[in-house]
């Protein structure tokens, strides 16, 4: 079999061109010949597993990152979402661990050899699923360390001596502080979605984690953008890195059709309903607020559309169920907020709808990046009220894009919102609600009149009580104590163990 030429893409750390500065890899002279995974210098076993998992031809970021990574070089890559970054670091990682297995010493299990850091637990779960596709039947081989799930289950799995840990920074930093995990034997470190981790405030945690791994490790950093601030930070973590850049990362993909509808606020729901009835495929709808996301999803359900919602006030189990329902087709529509959507990595999303205009151009690019992935086509529609036209034009200028402007049908049904309360007609119901707010068995005589606006006295949290089932927001509050759902209820301190201290959920 003729092997495609990979030498122009393979640059080792000893190459003079990478000693002074990070190097951008040149294009292969044989770009017309498609490189296959079987062309890489990896074991026959891994080649067969890739083929069995359906991976035959690598994406551009995989084709450029895997060869130098197999040679031990540090990688600094920027690529837009949906370009296949996960396999670009999993393949060299698995090959190295399989080729140089470390036997466990007497009475002790093998050390943690590889560490992957990601901003959200959902992304971490997806990376772990991809790993198990290539390493089937080795469930104890890799461990997920993240907030919102049972801490004790994760500690038990770490006791079994995994060679790979996939983690979010908050929970991993907490385990390090409590000396629940030892990462001083890590040979390969991956920092994925670096820009998002910095946006979410994880820089202090990352610094402590990187400080706990050996300096002579291999490091692979991936980011959607690489501005001056990120470049300054990443410079401390990589050594003579191979610089890889795939496509435009600071603007929407050319595969996405960009539409704008000028529409009144009370006709947005009618327009979305019309689009869902006239167009095919799944819809990811972005709302500016959590309350708005809940309202949109409930209204769509009443209109006959299968919808679910994902935002920071939903528990971990609710978010997982929403994502799975959307991915397997149970729900055609998923309504999300910006922060929550950072964990969404669902293929074949046909349509993204900006129900509310995003606050910044970066948010717009991130939203649009959920569709048109891995070579597929996508449509992104933004609802713009007349007073927001200036902001939409500003997006066009900043991102150097051109919207297809459309006018919404003036006869669309108007949504009835914020109707005044008819207290005369509903006075008796209000008094009954007031009565139910009291606790105890003694009968309560309602007041003859209710001065001022009615306020619930049930819990002091207003009508929208926060979920107390754990999990927190997608980006995660590391100081939100307590256990996540699925906790075994076991105390965090066990006899003969150093496990003590508050069980911070991490992320």
């Amino acid at each position: 079999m003729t092997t495609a030429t990979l030498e122009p893409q393979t640059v080792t750390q000893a190459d003079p061109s990478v000693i002074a500065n990070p190097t951008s890899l040149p294009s292969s002279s044989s770009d017309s010949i498609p490189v296959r995974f079987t062309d890489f210098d990896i074991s026959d076993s891994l080649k067969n597993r890739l083929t069995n998992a359906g991976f035959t031809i690598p994406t551009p970021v995989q084709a450029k990152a895997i060869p130098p990574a197999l040679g031990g070089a540090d990688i600094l890559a920027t690529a837009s979402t949906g370009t296949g970054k996960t396999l670009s670091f999993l393949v060299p990682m698995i090959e190295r661990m399989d080729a140089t297995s470390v036997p466990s010493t007497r009475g002790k299990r093998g050390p943690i050899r590889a560490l992957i850091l990601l901003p959200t637990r959902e992304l971490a779960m997806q990376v772990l699923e991809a790993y198990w596709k290539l390493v089937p039947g080795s469930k104890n081989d890799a461990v997920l360390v993240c907030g919102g799930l049972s801490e004790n289950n994760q500690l038990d799995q770490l006791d079994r001596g995994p060679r790979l840990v996939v983690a979010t920074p908050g929970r991993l930093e907490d385990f390090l502080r409590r000396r629940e995990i030892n990462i001083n034997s890590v040979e390969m470190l991956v920092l994925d979605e670096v820009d998002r981790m910095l946006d979410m405030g994880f820089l202090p945690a990352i610094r402590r984690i990187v400080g706990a791994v050996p300096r002579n490790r291999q490091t692979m950093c991936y980011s959607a953008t690489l501005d001056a601030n990120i470049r300054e930070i990443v410079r401390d973590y990589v050594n003579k890195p191979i610089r890889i850049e795939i496509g435009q990362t600071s603007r929407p993909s050319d595969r996405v059709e960009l539409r704008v509808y000028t529409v009144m606020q009370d006709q947005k729901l009618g327009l979305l309903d019309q689009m869902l009835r006239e167009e095919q495929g799944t819809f990811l709808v972005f709302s500016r607020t959590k309350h708005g996301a809940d309202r949109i999803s409930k209204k769509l359900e009443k209109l006959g559309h299968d919808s679910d919602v994902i935002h920071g006030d939903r528990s971990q189990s609710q978010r997982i169920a929403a994502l799975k329902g959307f991915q397997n087709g149970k729900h055609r529509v998923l309504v999300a907020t910006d922060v929550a959507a950072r964990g969404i990595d669902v293929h074949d999303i046909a349509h993204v709808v900006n129900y509310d205009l995003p606050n910044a151009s970066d948010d717009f690019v991130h939203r649009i990046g959920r569709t048109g992935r891995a070579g597929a086509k996508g449509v992104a529609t933004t609802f713009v009220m007349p007073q927001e036209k200036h902001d939409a034009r500003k997006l066009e200028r900043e991102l150097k894009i051109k919207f297809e402007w459309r006018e919404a049908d003036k006869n669309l049904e108007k949504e009835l919102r914020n109707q005044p309360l008819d207290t005369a007609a509903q006075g008796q119901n209000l008094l009954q609600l007031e009565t139910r707010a009291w606790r105890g068995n003694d009968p309560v005589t309602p007041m003859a009149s209710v001065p001022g606006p009615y306020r619930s006295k049930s819990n002091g949290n207003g009508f929208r009580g926060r979920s107390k089932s754990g999990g927190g927001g997608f980006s995660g509050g590391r100081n939100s104590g307590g256990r996540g759902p699925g906790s075994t209820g076991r105390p965090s301190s066990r006899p003969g163990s150093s496990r003590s201290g508050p069980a911070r959920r991490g992320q």
Side-chain angles (χ1 to χ4, degrees):
M1 180 181 68
T2 303
T3 303
T5 304
L6 296 176
E7 285 76 3
Q9 295 179 1
T10 306
V11 182
T12 65
Q13 288 175 308
D15 191 304
S17 64
V18 299
I19 292 178
N21 298 293
T23 300
S24 297
L25 290 176
S27 300
S28 172
S29 58
S30 56
D31 283 343
S32 58
I33 303 175
V35 176
R36 306 178 73 87
F37 278 104
T38 52
D39 296 329
F40 293 138
D41 186 17
I42 56 179
S43 66
D44 290 338
S45 173
L46 183 52
K47 289 178 182 178
N48 291 334
R49 282 177 275 163
L50 284 162
T51 301
N52 293 336
F55 301 115
T56 55
I57 298 177
T59 65
V61 69
Q62 293 164 359
K64 290 194 174 186
I66 289 176
L70 287 169
D74 282 8
I75 302 295
L76 179 56
T78 49
S80 57
T81 55
T83 54
K85 292 180 291 182
T86 301
L87 278 190
S88 72
F89 56 76
L90 279 183
V91 169
M93 184 176 285
I94 294 170
E95 175 65 16
R96 179 169 174 175
M97 291 191 294
D98 287 349
T100 58
S101 59
V102 177
S104 58
T105 57
R106 187 178 183 84
K108 294 184 178 180
R109 299 187 182 275
I112 297 170
R113 302 184 59 197
L115 172 63
I116 302 173
L117 280 184
L118 301 107
T120 68
R121 61 183 67 88
E122 283 72 22
L123 288 174
M125 291 175 182
Q126 289 160 6
V127 168
L128 204 57
E129 289 174 3
Y131 175 82
W132 282 331
K133 283 184 180 179
L134 299 182
V135 190
S138 300
K139 292 295 182 180
N140 294 334
D141 193 40
V143 171
L144 177 68
V145 172
C146 68
L149 299 175
S150 170
E151 173 186 299
N152 291 293
N153 285 346
Q154 295 173 33
L155 293 173
D156 285 343
Q157 291 171 347
L158 288 172
D159 283 344
R160 297 174 187 148
R163 62 180 186 174
L164 168 65
V165 168
V166 183
T168 53
R171 174 59 63 85
L172 182 59
E173 182 194 27
D174 185 42
F175 280 4
L176 280 175
R177 180 182 57 81
R178 292 157 49 192
R179 299 184 180 179
E180 301 283 10
I181 189 171
N182 186 342
I183 55 175
N184 61 13
S185 296
V186 166
E187 304 166 24
M188 291 160 286
L189 171 66
V190 173
L191 302 175
D192 194 15
E193 306 281 0
V194 174
D195 52 337
R196 296 192 198 176
M197 287 196 286
L198 297 184
D199 287 344
M200 296 163 72
F202 284 124
L203 181 57
I206 293 172
R207 289 199 185 280
R208 182 176 179 189
I209 292 166
V210 174
V213 299
R215 295 182 64 86
N216 60 341
R217 66 186 182 271
Q218 180 184 16
T219 305
M220 291 175 271
C221 291
Y222 293 81
S223 179
T225 59
L226 199 62
D227 59 27
N229 291 332
I230 298 175
R231 196 184 297 267
E232 182 74 16
I233 292 166
V234 168
R235 187 179 62 181
D236 298 334
Y237 303 145
V238 293
N239 178 33
K240 308 181 186 72
I242 304 301
R243 178 76 174 92
I244 298 170
E245 185 171 6
I246 302 296
Q248 294 288 334
T249 59
S250 59
R251 62 189 301 272
S253 168
D254 293 335
R255 298 186 300 271
V256 179
E257 180 183 347
L258 302 175
R259 302 175 184 170
V260 161
Y261 275 98
T262 54
V263 59
M264 301 302 294
Q265 178 67 45
D266 59 1
Q267 290 183 307
K268 286 184 178 181
L269 186 67
L271 177 57
L272 181 56
D273 176 51
Q274 182 185 67
M275 291 169 58
L276 285 165
R277 297 185 188 283
E278 294 179 353
E279 302 185 31
Q280 302 295 318
T282 54
F283 277 63
L284 176 59
V285 180
F286 283 97
S287 167
R288 185 178 292 119
T289 66
K290 292 176 282 189
H291 173 71
D294 283 330
R295 184 185 59 79
I296 295 166
S297 183
K298 289 176 182 177
K299 295 266 185 159
L300 289 175
E301 288 281 353
K302 290 182 179 179
L303 290 171
H305 304 291
D306 293 323
S307 175
D308 208 339
V309 64
I310 189 167
H311 57 63
D313 277 355
R314 304 210 81 192
S315 69
Q316 174 66 10
S317 59
Q318 288 173 321
R319 291 196 300 271
I320 292 175
L323 279 174
K324 286 186 176 179
F326 186 56
Q327 192 161 23
N328 63 25
K330 178 181 178 182
H331 304 298
R332 185 188 176 198
V333 184
L334 183 64
V335 187
T337 55
D338 283 304
V339 174
R342 291 191 180 278
I344 296 176
D345 187 14
V346 178
H347 297 290
D348 302 323
I349 297 176
H351 209 129
V352 167
V353 175
N354 294 312
Y355 196 92
D356 298 316
L357 197 66
N359 292 321
S361 58
D362 287 346
D363 292 330
F364 180 84
V365 173
H366 169 71
R367 291 180 178 187
I368 302 311
R370 303 302 97 190
T371 187
R373 299 164 69 92
K377 295 286 186 179
V379 178
T381 300
T382 302
F383 293 172
V384 175
M385 293 185 290
Q387 63 269 31
E388 296 176 322
K389 282 187 177 181
H390 174 76
D391 296 325
R393 295 293 188 188
K394 183 179 178 183
L395 274 178
E396 286 185 303
R397 293 192 301 270
E398 288 182 356
L399 298 175
K400 296 179 175 60
I401 57 177
K402 187 66 177 175
F403 290 133
E404 178 188 334
W405 287 82
R406 301 181 178 185
E407 290 283 341
D409 186 351
K410 302 297 184 184
N411 297 318
L412 285 171
E413 184 176 353
K414 294 184 178 181
E415 181 185 4
L416 299 178
R417 299 179 59 190
N418 302 325
Q419 291 179 293
L421 183 66
D422 186 354
T423 55
Q426 302 184 32
Q428 186 59 38
N429 291 335
L430 291 176
L431 292 177
Q432 290 174 356
L433 286 171
E434 182 74 14
T435 301
R436 286 204 301 269
W438 292 89
R439 295 180 179 178
N441 298 321
D442 296 333
V444 177
T445 302
M447 297 171 60
S449 62
V450 182
Y454 171 75
R455 297 178 183 272
S456 169
K457 298 181 180 179
S458 58
N459 57 15
N461 291 331
F463 289 100
R464 293 175 58 246
R466 269 188 180 272
S467 169
K468 297 183 179 180
S469 55
F474 246 64
S475 60
R478 290 179 304 180
N479 297 322
S480 54
R483 299 174 188 267
S487 173
T488 61
R490 208 172 49 172
S492 60
S493 177
R494 295 183 284 176
S497 169
S498 63
R499 291 172 189 167
S500 61
R504 294 194 305 168
R505 274 204 299 265
Q507 184 193 321

